[in-house]
């Protein structure tokens, strides 16, 4: 039997390595603790789902047992994408849900994303589950178990509302993640001809990693668009809550640029409203939103944090550089890669040349996410030190809502602590290669002044 490790209780979810930090016994205890938290909110029903990982069935079964032991009625959706689990907490008689998913992590990982009484939980609420297990503070009761198939209802809800202006031929790459079981059917039902890549759900991920944030995972989709008459390519992560987008000519349209098209559309129905985006997004996004009558609001990175801020502000749309897009307009406010793909196709179907429209969106020279690797516990103190002491001559503005984002007349640099691993995530964007190198050099200077042994990723 594994000893419970506090290390699996992360900022936005619970995540561990199978048979090292996570097994059925740990899952059963998490079920008891989460079920007790649900009971404390005056609720009794929890929706349960799992992605296509090999460890999913055993973990889900143990979770269900643990929840029933503390008086929870479990509604098991079986194998679903994470957003389908989220939908269950809106349309079934349940405000709480728990999804067994390792998202885009390697095959030997798995974990849990949780919605408690209608809110995606994070931070202290997740740590409280750990404390409840340590102290064995569980509710008492005897719950029931039933299964429910939400796939048809999910597809119908989207197809009834999202309409294409013309039929399209598209390619989709699911990376053998769980979206593969649903995405092809969804887009065919909307009127698309669909070329499917790696849509067989396989928890060993035999073809490439299911993470569209990294260009190497989009190369098969790019080649498919070059060699077929498909006009656009969509890619999904392992649990279907993030979207990648590729044009006919092989350009990757990163989520901050996707958000420009989405914002332009949503603001026609919600004039003057706030559009939320995270600190990693392009500097072109704020003026784009402003020019279209919206109010840009930069916020912290993290799907749970964005969801909480959207609830607080009433924003109809939010998005993150990682590919999480949150529609409150015509949808429920949770992140859903397949739904975002449907909305993107709705917009692109109005265009004669979708790729030209996408490629015309404002763009600068930029880096992908870079990672400064550190020892456990080093990243947050280093960022705090930089926030206090670092000087950036010639900068326009220093934003500290999440790490350090330094705006220059011709670009920006970002350094922020990852909430999930001991790294500092860095990203740079500028109007020219020379400006980019200058901003990178400024960040290198202040980081090495604060930590002389740091090995920078550029």
């Amino acid at each position: 039997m594994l000893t419970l490790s506090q290390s699996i209780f992360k900022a936005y979810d619970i995540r561990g390595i199978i048979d090292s930090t996570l097994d059925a016994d740990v899952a059963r205890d998490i079920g008891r603790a989460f079920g007790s938290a649900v009971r404390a909110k005056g609720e009794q029903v929890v929706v349960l789902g799992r992605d296509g990982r090999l460890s999913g069935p055993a973990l889900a079964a143990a979770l269900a047992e643990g929840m029933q032991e503390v008086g929870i009625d479990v509604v098991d959706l079986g194998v679903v994408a994470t957003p389908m689990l989220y939908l269950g907490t809106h349309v079934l008689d349940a405000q709480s849900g728990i999804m067994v998913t390792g998202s885009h992590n390697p095959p030997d990982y798995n974990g849990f994303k949780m919605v408690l009484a209608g809110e995606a939980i994070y931070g202290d609420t997740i740590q409280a589950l750990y404390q409840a297990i340590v102290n064995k503070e569980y509710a008492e009761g005897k719950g029931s178990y039933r299964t429910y198939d939400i796939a048809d209802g999910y597809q119908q809800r989207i197809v009834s509302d999202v309409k294409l202006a013309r039929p399209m031929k598209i390619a989709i790459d699911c990376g053998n993640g769980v979206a593969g079981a649903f995405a092809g059917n969804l887009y065919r039902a909307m009127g698309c001809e669909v070329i499917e890549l790696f849509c067989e759900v396989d928890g060993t991920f035999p073809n490439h990693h299911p993470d569209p944030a990294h260009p190497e995972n989009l190369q098969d989709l790019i080649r498919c668009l070059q060699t077929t008459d498909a006009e656009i390519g969509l890619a999904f992560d392992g649990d279907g809550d993030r979207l990648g987008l590729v044009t006919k000519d092989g350009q990757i349209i990163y989520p901050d640029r996707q958000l420009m098209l989405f914002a332009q559309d949503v603001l026609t129905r919600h004039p003057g409203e706030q559009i939320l985006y995270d600190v990693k997004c392009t500097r072109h996004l704020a003026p784009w939103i402003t020019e279209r009558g919206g109010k840009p609001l930069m916020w912290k990175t993290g799907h749970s944090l964005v969801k909480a801020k959207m609830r607080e502000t009433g924003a109809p749309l939010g998005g993150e550089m990682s590919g999480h897009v949150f529609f409150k307009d015509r949808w429920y406010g949770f992140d859903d890669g397949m739904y975002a793909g449907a909305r993107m196709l709705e917009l692109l179907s109005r265009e004669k040349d979708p790729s030209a429209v996408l490629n015309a969106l404002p763009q600068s020279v930029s880096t992908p996410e870079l990672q400064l690797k550190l020892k456990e516990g080093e990243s947050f103190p280093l960022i705090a030190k930089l926030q206090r002491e670092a000087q950036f001559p010639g900068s326009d503005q220093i934003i500290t809502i999440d790490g350090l984002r330094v705006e220059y007349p011709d670009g920006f640099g970002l350094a922020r602590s990852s909430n999930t691993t001991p790294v500092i995530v860095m990203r740079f964007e500028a109007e020219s290669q020379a400006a980019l190198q200058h901003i990178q050099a400024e960040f290198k200077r202040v980081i090495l002044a604060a930590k002389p042994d740091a090995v920078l990723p550029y």
Side-chain angles (χ1 to χ4, degrees):
M1 179 156 175
L2 292 181
T3 314
L4 183 71
S5 167
Q6 190 168 5
S7 68
I8 68 174
F9 293 81
K10 308 288 187 187
Y12 318 122
D13 50 33
I14 296 173
R15 198 169 343 120
I17 299 170
I18 296 303
D19 297 332
S20 168
T21 54
L22 184 59
D23 66 1
D25 290 323
V26 173
R28 193 173 290 105
D29 281 343
I30 289 167
R32 290 172 180 136
F34 182 72
S36 300
V38 170
R39 292 283 306 275
K41 291 276 189 184
E43 309 253 327
Q44 197 171 338
V45 185
V46 173
V47 187
L48 172 66
R50 59 183 165 90
D51 68 12
R53 286 173 186 259
L54 305 184
S55 55
L59 293 181
L63 261 185
E65 284 170 21
M67 289 192 284
Q68 286 167 265
E69 282 173 26
V70 298
I72 292 294
D73 298 331
V74 176
V75 181
D76 189 348
L77 305 181
V79 176
V80 289
T82 294
M84 296 164 72
L85 181 279
Y86 293 155
L87 181 70
T89 67
H90 287 271
V91 301
L92 300 176
D93 184 24
Q95 301 283 299
S96 299
I98 186 161
M99 177 72 187
V100 181
T101 174
S103 186
H104 59 279
N105 288 292
D108 54 340
Y109 279 73
N110 214 329
F112 312 108
K113 289 181 180 174
M114 295 157 287
V115 180
L116 177 60
E119 294 188 23
I121 62 173
Y122 58 93
D124 292 344
T125 315
I126 291 178
Q127 293 305 319
L129 296 177
Y130 169 73
Q131 292 301 334
I133 296 170
V134 169
N135 301 325
K136 296 200 164 21
E137 292 168 346
Y138 302 137
E140 290 180 11
K142 177 110 185 66
S144 63
Y145 174 89
R146 67 184 176 97
T147 58
Y148 183 85
D149 186 345
I150 201 168
D152 286 348
Y154 172 79
Q155 181 172 304
Q156 276 310 113
R157 171 64 180 80
I158 297 174
V159 172
S160 67
D161 179 62
V162 185
K163 302 295 182 190
L164 300 191
R166 61 177 176 86
M168 295 182 75
K169 184 164 185 181
I170 66 170
I172 62 172
D173 183 340
C174 294
N176 300 107
V178 73
F182 309 102
N185 289 340
L186 170 64
Y187 299 129
R188 278 189 286 271
M190 287 176 60
C192 292
E193 190 178 336
V194 184
I195 300 171
E196 296 190 10
L197 300 181
F198 317 129
C199 288
E200 311 77 29
V201 180
D202 183 340
T204 65
F205 308 123
N207 293 289
H208 63 72
H209 208 52
D211 186 356
H214 296 283
E216 64 269 21
N217 298 325
L218 295 169
Q219 296 311 307
D220 292 304
L221 188 56
I222 287 170
R223 275 192 294 277
C224 176
L225 287 164
Q226 286 167 343
T227 55
T228 67
D229 57 349
E231 51 184 317
I232 211 77
L234 307 179
F236 305 96
D237 72 333
D239 67 330
D241 60 7
R242 293 191 291 127
L243 172 68
L245 185 62
V246 175
T247 64
K248 181 68 177 166
D249 58 335
Q251 301 300 312
I252 298 168
I253 305 299
Y254 284 103
D256 52 354
R257 291 173 78 212
Q258 297 172 28
L259 208 53
M260 294 178 184
L261 278 193
F262 290 142
Q264 178 171 295
D265 173 53
V266 168
L267 286 167
T268 62
R269 288 179 295 280
H270 302 269
E273 293 289 328
Q274 288 182 318
I275 305 293
L276 215 69
Y277 57 95
D278 78 324
V279 293
K280 292 194 259 186
C281 287
T282 175
R283 59 202 289 269
H284 296 297
L285 194 48
W288 175 280
I289 291 165
T290 304
E291 282 160 18
R292 283 150 187 82
K295 297 192 185 86
L297 179 61
M298 189 187 291
W299 193 239
K300 299 171 185 178
T301 293
H303 70 94
S304 299
L305 304 179
V306 173
K307 271 180 246 191
K309 194 66 175 174
M310 284 184 67
R311 284 172 74 100
E312 179 194 318
T313 59
L317 176 69
E320 289 188 276
M321 188 64 198
S322 60
H324 293 276
V325 181
F326 311 81
F327 283 94
K328 192 75 175 92
D329 167 70
R330 298 162 55 190
W331 196 239
Y332 302 90
F334 56 75
D335 39 336
D336 183 342
M338 292 186 285
Y339 180 75
R343 291 286 292 261
M344 180 58 74
L345 293 173
E346 181 180 63
L347 297 176
L348 295 179
S349 70
R350 301 170 190 168
E351 307 293 343
K352 192 157 166 273
D353 186 348
S355 292
V357 172
L358 293 168
N359 288 330
L361 295 167
Q363 189 174 21
S364 298
V365 184
S366 67
T367 66
E369 274 188 29
L370 306 169
Q371 294 192 340
L372 167 58
K373 292 185 169 61
L374 298 167
K375 294 193 185 76
E376 198 67 58
E378 284 186 333
S379 65
F380 284 96
L382 178 54
I383 288 290
K385 186 177 166 75
L386 293 174
Q387 286 176 331
R388 284 194 309 272
E389 298 173 9
Q391 300 290 315
F392 294 91
S395 65
D396 287 343
Q397 188 186 10
I398 297 178
I399 299 165
T400 56
I401 54 168
D402 185 2
L404 201 60
R405 176 166 165 145
V406 183
E407 300 279 352
Y408 288 86
D410 52 3
F412 81 87
L414 171 74
R416 62 172 289 276
S417 291
S418 165
N419 282 311
T420 49
T421 48
V423 301
I424 286 177
V425 175
M426 306 182 76
R427 184 161 189 264
F428 302 91
E429 177 181 282
E431 294 312 298
S432 66
Q433 201 61 47
L436 192 77
Q437 285 166 346
H438 167 70
I439 297 170
Q440 285 188 309
E442 287 292 276
F443 271 75
K444 183 176 273 193
R445 173 181 63 76
V446 300
I447 288 169
L448 291 175
K451 185 174 167 54
D453 63 342
V455 181
L456 275 100
Y458 57 87

